[in-house]
Amino acid sequence: MSELTWVEISRTALSSNIARLRSLLEPSTLLCACVKANAYGHGLCETGRVFIDAGADWLSVHSLHEARRLRGAGLACPIYILGPVSPDDCAEALHLDCRLVVYNESDLSALAAAARACGRPARLHVKIETGTNRQGIAAGPLQSLCAAITGSPDLELEGFATHFANIEDTTDHSFAQAQLRRFNESIDLLADRGIRAPIMHCANSAATILMPATHFNMVRAGIAAYGMWPSNETYVSFVRERINGFALTPALTWKARIAQVKDVPAGEYIGYGCTFKTGHATRLAVIPVGYYDGYDRGSAGGHVLIRGQRAPIRGRICMNLLMAEITDISDVCVGDEAVLLGRDGDECITAEQFARWASTINYEVTTRINERIPRIIIG
């Protein structure tokens, strides 16, 4: 391989995670795998194809350009666009046979016009506000929006949705339970007025794992599909409540080839800002990855894996390079692999560990890996 840095994605891990999530659901419940943000850094089209082959029913994305790429890659499965679509782009979204989220009644005229031009109804999912206060329509104008949809021959009310604000970051799920009650109350109120939709969905990964009452007709699994727990609190809650052998397998390994091996005398500084000074004769591996590539500049206290051993990072992370000490690792050569994220022999750098170095969350660690870096599906 000629690449100096690349990401390997395990097909086996992705497939097993889908199977494990599926095992939590009723057979009739749809599994929508979320592949927004370049599939959480795992490669949009590569990962989306594996998920569908493994038994996911739908894919969800944030934006039209992601849906466009999936269709261009030959994926014919249902695609749900979670984020806003410009009125000017509605026709393309419908031409690509995408489901769309809606929460503004003012958007319906553009959607109806696009549907007439396309010759197919716009399949819409109404996002109900239950406490996240991000996208969504409040209870007051909800009935008017839904009535306008059901009253139009060009629009189809296919789903009701909401999103949890505080199910991952706590072991106290009372706020999530309150959101679920609001969601059910809104759906019941609409049903009393004769307004129904065939699909209801609100479960993210944490809810899918912890709260069967949130499954309804479909779940939207994101981080767990890639083998990562949504948070330590989610894992603790799961262990407390549902010890049943359920496990997740991380799918991503980020690698790079060593560009230079160099000896640095004692008393020399390494990198920008003179933040690290050698206390002894030091051997360094220069690795062609930096914060432009998504290797967080705040993770300078971390390490990489070389020949199955931990090599501490020395000095600041540069834009395109980082330096790791290999003084105690024998026979390191230019061209050797360094594992930045993932397993090498008995050692492993998890996204959660990396997140602690960088004071962030595992989602951000993988999602920020630059899209230009090749994603390679392995066995």
Side-chain angles (χ1 to χ4, degrees):
M1 182 189 298
S2 62
E3 300 293 342
L4 293 178
T5 183
W6 67 98
V7 172
E8 294 176 353
I9 306 297
S10 167
R11 181 189 306 274
T12 300
L14 293 177
S15 299
S16 67
N17 294 328
I18 291 295
R20 288 161 181 163
L21 290 165
R22 173 69 75 188
S23 74
L24 302 176
L25 308 177
E26 294 296 327
S28 60
T29 302
L30 297 170
L31 175 55
C32 176
C34 186
V35 293
K36 66 179 182 177
N38 200 29
Y40 292 44
H42 291 64
L44 173 66
C45 297
E46 301 91 338
T47 300
R49 187 174 291 109
V50 174
F51 282 156
I52 293 300
D53 290 345
D57 301 292
W58 289 31
L59 296 176
S60 59
V61 296
H62 175 72
S63 58
L64 177 60
H65 83 87
E66 294 169 321
R68 186 187 301 127
R69 286 182 57 196
L70 289 172
R71 291 294 189 230
L75 283 151
C77 62
I79 294 175
Y80 174 44
I81 300 180
L82 298 159
V85 174
S86 163
D88 293 338
D89 291 328
C90 288
E92 182 183 1
L94 298 184
H95 178 73
L96 293 173
D97 197 21
C98 295
R99 276 80 170 175
L100 303 177
V101 66
V102 66
Y103 37 81
N104 295 323
E105 191 167 344
S106 59
D107 292 337
L108 297 185
S109 58
L111 285 163
R116 287 192 296 274
C118 247
R120 68 174 72 180
R123 286 176 287 194
L124 305 179
H125 291 237
V126 173
K127 189 72 168 286
I128 300 173
E129 180 56 68
T130 60
T132 305
N133 288 303
R134 200 173 58 172
Q135 292 184 126
I137 185 167
L142 174 62
Q143 183 182 344
S144 175
L145 172 67
C146 293
I149 295 171
T150 56
S152 169
D154 302 305
L155 306 176
E156 177 184 336
L157 179 57
E158 186 179 51
F160 295 124
T162 195
H163 192 63
F164 290 111
N166 194 31
I167 193 171
E168 297 180 357
D169 300 323
T170 179
T171 57
D172 175 5
H173 298 126
S174 56
F175 193 83
Q177 294 284 2
Q179 285 192 265
L180 180 60
R181 286 194 298 273
R182 293 186 197 115
F183 186 54
N184 281 319
E185 288 166 1
S186 294
I187 291 170
D188 290 344
L189 185 63
L190 290 168
D192 289 342
R193 289 157 174 75
I195 299 173
R196 294 176 175 83
I199 301 175
M200 295 175 288
H201 51 102
C202 66
N204 57 6
S205 287
T208 299
I209 295 167
L210 298 176
M211 295 173 62
T214 67
H215 293 177
F216 293 106
N217 312 93
M218 185 169 77
V219 301
R220 307 185 307 264
I223 194 81
Y226 304 96
M228 295 181 283
W229 285 86
S231 65
N232 289 334
E233 290 83 358
T234 302
Y235 182 74
V236 168
S237 298
F238 169 75
V239 170
R240 285 179 182 173
E241 301 169 20
R242 295 172 61 90
I243 301 176
N244 63 354
F246 180 85
L248 295 171
T249 304
L252 183 149
T253 302
W254 187 6
K255 295 181 177 180
R257 296 198 183 279
I258 294 172
Q260 184 180 10
V261 174
K262 66 191 306 178
D263 293 304
V264 179
E268 288 286 321
Y269 292 104
I270 296 173
Y272 288 122
C274 297
T275 58
F276 184 88
K277 187 176 185 179
T278 59
H280 53 77
T282 300
R283 174 160 280 202
L284 291 179
V286 180
I287 299 169
V289 169
Y291 57 80
Y292 167 70
D293 305 287
Y295 198 97
D296 197 287
R297 189 171 182 266
S299 57
H303 55 261
V304 301
L305 303 179
I306 297 174
R307 294 184 176 265
Q309 299 181 61
R310 294 174 182 262
I313 294 170
R314 300 305 190 201
R316 287 180 179 167
I317 306 298
C318 307
M319 185 180 291
N320 304 106
L321 298 165
L322 62 84
M323 292 72 72
E325 182 173 350
I326 53 172
T327 307
D328 298 323
I329 304 176
S330 302
D331 303 321
V332 177
C333 301
V334 171
D336 282 356
E337 289 183 359
V339 173
L340 313 176
L341 194 63
R343 179 170 295 280
D344 185 4
D346 294 331
E347 295 284 357
C348 185
I349 301 172
T350 65
E352 292 73 25
Q353 183 176 41
F354 194 108
R356 287 192 292 273
W357 299 337
S359 300
T360 185
I361 56 175
N362 54 0
Y363 291 75
E364 186 174 358
V365 169
T366 60
T367 300
R368 290 186 63 190
I369 300 174
N370 196 307
E371 289 194 34
R372 71 171 179 83
I373 298 173
R375 270 60 170 180
I376 301 167
I377 301 292
I378 61 173

